[in-house]
Amino acid sequence: MIKPYFKSEDKNFYLLQGDCMKLLPQFEHKFDMVFADPPYFLSNNGLSIQNGQIVSVNKGTWDKSEGFDFINDFNRNWLKQVREKLKDNGTIWISGTYHNIFSVGQLLQELDFKILNVITWEKNNPPPNFSCRFFTHSAELIIWARKKEKVPHYYNYELMKQLNGDKQMKDVWKLPAIAKWEKSCGKHPTQKPLSVLTRIILSSTKPGAWILDPFAGSSTTGIAANLANRRYLGIDMETEFLEISKNRKLEIENPTIAATYKQKINGFNDKKELSLFLANEPSELYSPELEL
């Protein structure tokens, strides 16, 4: 039996410490959705600009590339493990840049996933181009795929249309990068904004769904999931980031803070739209409790 690093009192937020490729085979639970933000392998001693200051692009030893074969083998191995933990009608979202996303896309097809979309997340406040020798990097790519070619997946078409001025939601999302209030419990070098994860989760899951994040970081996936009445298991190796994740969950257990955060999340027509939508969703939980 696996002992969680942290389990919330409401049993909707679990954290495991360790390598996802070693932990995932140790339990049988199947998930409705996976969000993965794997290493981009872009820590190459380059420079960027952040808050007007020149900074290194290096994130840590876990983000250093050891060559094309290494990246492919790494992506193939974790994708195989995650595929086994998805329900047959489940979907997976994977974020990346050109450093890793082409490898991921190729391997998804090799492993018989069906790619549904490649979302372009256009940041409306990207850092400037330091070298001035090529275009400013202002977007990340997010692949959305389902596990089985012929098993239908869930997509909340009506909500996405509502959020896009009553027009079909496009595969280019203009959403801001992470805000200061999202770092109240500490910083993670590759933290994603709640606006992106909230849209992903609401578009592709129902209330009570179980969501897996094999590279949890500071668990933006889990915070978005719990704020949206979904459930979460995150895996990470770093104690520092697991502590940030735990504290973020403890923070939103305060109803006032949770309500405030729902109003602050970008991507909605007004501050009340998210809360009103969630209030009108069915309240029953359709997935079993997590057993480790």
Side-chain angles (χ1 to χ4, degrees):
M1 179 176 289
I2 302 172
K3 182 180 179 181
Y5 181 89
F6 171 74
K7 178 174 70 173
S8 63
E9 289 188 8
D10 61 14
K11 298 182 181 180
N12 290 335
F13 190 102
Y14 288 74
L15 296 171
L16 302 182
Q17 183 169 27
D19 185 336
C20 66
M21 287 181 268
K22 295 178 180 178
L23 289 171
L24 288 173
Q26 296 183 41
F27 60 91
E28 299 299 325
H29 191 86
K30 299 285 187 177
F31 294 84
D32 302 281
M33 193 202 97
V34 173
F35 176 81
D37 188 18
Y40 290 7
F41 301 112
L42 52 71
S43 293
N44 57 6
N45 298 318
L47 299 175
S48 183
I49 294 179
Q50 189 175 80
N51 298 324
Q53 303 293 320
I54 298 175
V55 298
S56 170
V57 301
N58 291 350
K59 309 299 182 185
T61 56
W62 49 267
D63 193 50
K64 289 185 180 295
S65 173
E66 296 181 30
F68 186 74
D69 290 339
F70 168 83
I71 292 174
N72 266 0
D73 288 343
F74 175 83
N75 286 328
R76 182 180 291 107
N77 288 336
W78 75 259
L79 280 167
K80 280 183 178 180
Q81 295 293 342
V82 164
R83 194 176 199 280
E84 291 300 312
K85 297 305 172 191
L86 260 181
K87 293 180 180 178
D88 285 350
N89 64 347
T91 61
I92 183 170
W93 300 76
I94 308 160
S95 65
T97 62
Y98 69 86
H99 301 84
N100 72 327
I101 204 70
F102 301 116
S103 166
V104 168
Q106 174 186 332
L107 291 166
L108 282 170
Q109 295 174 85
E110 176 186 303
L111 296 172
D112 295 326
F113 286 90
K114 176 179 174 59
I115 295 177
L116 301 168
N117 282 111
V118 179
I119 303 297
T120 299
W121 166 34
E122 181 184 348
K123 305 173 187 178
N124 59 17
N125 52 347
N129 180 347
F130 176 67
S131 71
C132 301
R133 299 181 66 184
F134 43 80
F135 301 108
T136 299
H137 295 296
S138 62
E140 292 188 29
L141 301 176
I142 307 172
I143 298 177
W144 185 30
R146 73 185 187 197
K147 180 177 178 177
K148 300 242 179 180
E149 172 80 27
K150 296 183 179 180
V151 179
H153 62 284
Y154 175 75
Y155 173 51
N156 195 331
Y157 172 81
E158 292 301 329
L159 175 62
M160 293 300 105
K161 185 177 178 182
Q162 175 183 321
L163 299 183
N164 194 46
D166 205 32
K167 298 178 181 178
Q168 289 187 338
M169 179 72 76
K170 298 179 180 179
D171 60 2
V172 177
W173 297 355
K174 296 183 179 181
L175 294 168
I178 187 168
K180 287 184 179 180
W181 61 269
E182 298 182 64
K183 302 177 184 178
S184 59
C185 296
K187 298 180 181 180
H188 186 279
T190 63
Q191 186 170 332
K192 295 293 180 288
L194 281 167
S195 59
V196 172
L197 268 301
T198 300
R199 180 173 293 181
I200 285 172
I201 288 167
L202 292 181
S203 70
S204 57
T205 65
K206 298 177 181 179
W210 272 107
I211 297 169
L212 169 68
D213 189 335
F215 308 100
S218 58
S219 291
T220 296
T221 306
I223 301 306
N226 279 192
L227 288 174
N229 303 325
R230 275 74 171 164
R231 297 179 286 179
Y232 169 76
L233 171 66
I235 303 174
D236 206 279
M237 294 190 289
E238 302 293 334
T239 302
E240 175 188 358
F241 302 145
L242 290 166
E243 281 295 304
I244 293 174
S245 296
K246 179 180 75 174
N247 290 332
R248 293 183 79 188
K249 168 57 178 174
L250 295 174
E251 182 181 57
I252 63 166
E253 288 181 352
N254 181 320
T256 302
I257 293 176
T260 300
Y261 284 3
K262 288 176 186 177
Q263 292 181 355
K264 288 184 174 183
I265 295 173
N266 280 283
F268 295 88
N269 295 305
D270 58 59
K271 292 182 178 181
K272 296 181 180 180
E273 188 172 24
L274 173 56
S275 294
L276 289 172
F277 169 76
L278 294 173
N280 290 320
E281 277 198 307
S283 59
E284 67 271 10
L285 303 179
Y286 68 94
S287 295
E289 288 192 6
L290 180 64
E291 294 185 8
L292 296 174

